[in-house]
Amino acid sequence: MLKVLQVCVRRRLCACVGPAAAVRGFSSGFAGRLTRTGDRGCTVDPNLEEQFVFVDCTGPEEDPHQEEKEPLRQLSVSSTAKESPPEGAVSPHKQLRSLELQLQALGSVPLQNVAPESLIQFQDRDFPLDESILSADSKKKKKRRVEAKGVHKVFGSPDVDEPVSDTCCSGCGAVMHCVAVDVPGYLPSEKYKTLLMEGQLGGAICQRCHLLTHHHKALNLQLTRDQYREVVQQIRPHRALVLLIVDLLDLPDSIVPDLSGLVGTNKHIVVLGNKVDLLPGDSPNYLQRIKRQLSEYCREAGFGSQVTDVHLISAKTGYGVEALISSLQRSWKYKGDVYLVGSANVGKSSLFNTLLESDYCKSRASDVIHKATISPWPGTTLNLLKFPIINPTPYRMFRRQKRLKEAEQQTENELTQQELKRLQNFSRQGYLLGRVGRTFRSDEPKRDEIEFDPDSLAFGEDGEPAKTTVQQSHDKLSHNELKDAHWLFDTPGIIKDHDILHLLQEKEVQVVVPTRAVVPRTFVLQPGMSLFVGALFRIDFLQGEKSCWFSVMASSLVPVHITSLDKADSIYEKHAGHVLLGVPTGGSERMKTFPALVHQDFSLEGRGYLEAAADIKLSSAGWVAVTAVEGKQLQLRVHGPLGTGFGLRTPPLLPHVVNLKGERIRKSPAYKTITVSGLLTGGLSATGAERLQVKKKK
């Protein structure tokens, strides 16, 4: 009878959540994301009690040869930038002195030329490899390809006698050099000298940024918290506006602690809640509720009196960015520099790149300044990157408002193929979409053509008589364009003390950090059951009178597995590091280096089966919303790696997320997942928005 029941359950799971989930028992992984039942929800009956059958999980035999490749060599990092700063910024001599001190600190390690076969292959279309290098060691080349298939190799070597440049990497801000492989800003000496000779070093990116951008390989930098803070503290004496970026998926931990002590108490602060596109709408007014909750967290952090405005944005899809630009141009105008500040991996570099291609940046600067390197790996930006801010004169503001009104009336046929493809792509990745455009475009003028700006011709940038200039060069901004300019800076991310991403390897970070809209996965548990979120966290339902509902808000690539409490220890011991629990990966050898789980006990009181009582924060991996019958007490035990900052969050961020589920999967604790329709702002007709499977914001 038990075998028959197991077969029925497996067939039912195959029909509902895919064969992969059926093999894992009552696990919910990426296959559950594929279920689409429209915008209908499912109510629950708190008096309904069901008996669950837990299928014994059998995983594949451990393969001793399947070991995770060790991370690439760890690098030390400079905490200052080497760049021609505007007036009042950091002196380039101090920046160069900082790198010299860092190289002296590495003096205990002999800097030797490294053989080509011991490095990572570094080749791009702008710098083809020398034929002599490619033909060297041809016999060993084939053997290395077989032994390390799919691993990027590097040809080239450092040169300890080559002087350090005075140019910064356009991707991360580190000073460019070819002295030491384990110092940020490194390029192989062969490429470094060629670019230096051709005068193209200023537009190049370092080896680390190249691997991040083109190969999704992260060089594991060991960065101290103090190194990042020293760079950000440079803004204390300056007149500036601070844009504090917060990750809405990691509240309140992503709010920079002691922000006033970091940037000064004399700064105005605008708080930006980023990654709002990944959050589903659990109620009609959920954005206003999140904004109020974010403001309350800022007050609790001690800098609420400095906050002048709060915006919810998506640096990736552009949602809310145009409204942010209009607000900054109306309030801050052109009073001083602007700094992007926030914790690591909150999206500062993504917002920097979006603003670089918007009306907030000088029109020609976006053609000269390269975009910042973005990556889910914490600590991508190492120093200060910048672009000049456009002066929002009345004429420019009038032109901008005219463009925004025209964009609201555009139809699908009036969009370019590139813009339409972008909207179609983002409509599959996020719930909230926006359009960020340019009012003033830098069409390259003819040589020796006299350029002038209508505003500066009549009034001058600062009330002085206007001066016309002859455009000399198009590969960099002229002195007149940068004279008295104000800048937007992208600062390094502040490293969080308790972050699970520090324990994960490169591929594991890509799985845990969500890049697409988070689809809630809801399960109903009885006392004596356990819920695994990968092999990262485990929640035990110890005591309670009624069933409770657990809605997992995490990346769809992280599996969720339900089992009985008495089997939980054996499941973790047997399947941690393997396919069933997913993350970490690498088998038993990987788990030897992963910290053991520690637990905390929590007591909750239910607030009804339509509203969550609290969220269980899972560090940077998301959270689990717990919904219980009103007035009923329940005891939970949460297991997680030591020092990763898991705990309770009240009130919950999305209290009605339990309603975003489909029908119950019979004889299992899982519910079908549903996909919520997105919302589009900033243009397109209602018909065009409907074709993109999003709703037009009224």
Side-chain angles (χ1 to χ4, degrees), residues 511-578:
V511 171
V512 171
V513 177
T515 57
R516 291 179 174 267
V518 178
V519 179
R521 289 173 284 176
T522 300
F523 305 86
V524 56
L525 272 66
Q526 294 177 353
M529 298 172 64
S530 296
L531 180 147
F532 282 96
V533 180
L536 304 175
F537 297 95
R538 166 184 152 192
I539 303 174
D540 297 338
F541 187 5
L542 300 180
Q543 295 180 5
E545 298 180 10
K546 298 287 185 178
S547 299
C548 294
W549 295 267
F550 293 75
S551 300
V552 179
M553 295 294 297
S555 171
S556 299
L557 301 179
V558 179
V560 177
H561 182 75
I562 310 296
T563 187
S564 59
L565 184 58
D566 57 348
K567 294 183 179 180
D569 291 336
S570 61
I571 289 292
Y572 181 83
E573 182 179 354
K574 183 176 182 180
H575 295 283
H578 297 287

Side-chain angles (χ1 to χ4, degrees), residues 493-512:
I494 303 299
I495 300 297
K496 293 184 290 186
D497 288 333
H498 307 292
D499 194 351
I500 195 172
L501 299 184
H502 298 160
L503 305 177
L504 302 180
Q505 297 176 351
E506 174 191 344
K507 295 181 179 178
E508 297 165 352
V509 171
Q510 296 175 357
V511 171
V512 171

Side-chain angles (χ1 to χ4, degrees), residues 221-264:
L221 299 180
Q222 293 297 326
L223 310 170
T224 65
R225 179 188 181 92
D226 293 337
Q227 284 177 313
Y228 282 117
R229 295 178 67 90
E230 289 174 1
V231 179
V232 180
Q233 284 176 343
Q234 297 174 14
I235 73 178
R236 287 178 61 90
H238 304 300
R239 176 179 173 83
L241 174 70
V242 173
L243 300 182
L244 175 64
I245 306 181
V246 178
D247 185 357
L248 294 178
L249 298 177
D250 190 20
L251 282 178
D253 296 339
S254 60
I255 297 178
V256 176
D258 190 26
L259 182 65
S260 298
L262 193 64
V263 302

Side-chain angles (χ1 to χ4, degrees), residues 403-420:
R403 177 187 66 82
L404 293 178
K405 290 181 179 179
E406 291 175 352
E408 289 289 342
Q409 307 301 324
Q410 282 185 320
T411 62
E412 185 180 6
N413 296 330
E414 296 175 316
L415 298 181
T416 63
Q417 289 295 327
Q418 182 179 3
E419 178 70 9
L420 186 60

Side-chain angles (χ1 to χ4, degrees), residues 5 18 69 132 154 173 197 204 312 336 499 567 645 668:
L5 180 57
K69 297 180 178 61
S132 61
V154 171
M197 184 182 305
L312 302 183
D499 194 351
K567 294 183 179 180
S668 83

